[in-house]
Amino acid sequence: MRKTLLAAALLAFAGSVFAAPVTYKIDPNHTDVLAQWSHFGFSNPSAHFGKADGTIVYDAENVSASSVQVTLPMSGLNSFVADFDAHLRSGDFFDAEKFPAATFKSTKVESAGKGKLKVTGNLTIKDVTKPVVLDVTLNKAGEQPMAKRAAIGFDATATVSRTAFGVGKYVPNVSDEVKLRITTEALVPKAE
């Protein structure tokens, strides 16, 4: 009898993970946005944008009803070189004092095959908003064993133009094209 009840509870939980739609809160400790570019053709440095805040709404049965909204505070910017971080936050690049965050808000989510999505949205940097398309892979949906709550995880990639957002210092010697790699884990918020 006990095994039957446990199995029923597990099936009910599994069904709720994929029930449409589910809202998740992005976990900033397990979310990372990496930007990489060419530096005069000699190296390909990167910077990490952490402390992400936002929500993901995922509808497994109707992915077009899904959405994502993320804020990346410039305080989370880290190239692992303190002088360079200060330069990136300066008026030469992100002007973080005046524009303390970048944002992304989806406008369309489409299936791109099993476990794959195309997420189109508006990226805003320095009050400049441009469309960006993310190529997304669903990593996993299920119970997060440490948090004991429903969770979902995605990886995504995109390529953006720095000059389009007014962050074009040193182009073309430092590449205009920036490759973004994103990984995120999000949890259903705790019941209050």
Side-chain angles (χ1 to χ4, degrees), residues 40-57:
F40 293 85
F42 293 109
S43 63
N44 295 290
S46 60
H48 149 94
F49 293 82
K51 301 183 182 178
D53 181 42
T55 57
I56 296 171
V57 176

Side-chain angles (χ1 to χ4, degrees), residues 123 125 131-132 158-165 176-180:
L123 177 63
I125 299 172
V132 170
T159 302
V160 298
S161 160
R162 293 190 301 123
T163 55
F165 295 96
D176 182 32
E177 184 177 271
V178 175
K179 293 178 183 174
L180 300 177

Side-chain angles (χ1 to χ4, degrees), residues 2 5 10 19 25 30 37 54 69 72 80 86 103 124 136 158 161 163 173 183 186:
R2 187 174 177 171
L5 288 174
L10 288 173
K25 175 86 173 129
H30 296 99
W37 58 92
Q69 187 166 346
L72 294 171
F80 305 102
T103 62
T124 302
V136 179
S161 160
T163 55
N173 295 313
T183 191

Side-chain angles (χ1 to χ4, degrees), residues 126-137:
K126 293 175 71 173
D127 278 352
V128 176
T129 302
K130 300 285 182 185
V132 170
V133 178
L134 302 174
D135 293 311
V136 179
T137 299

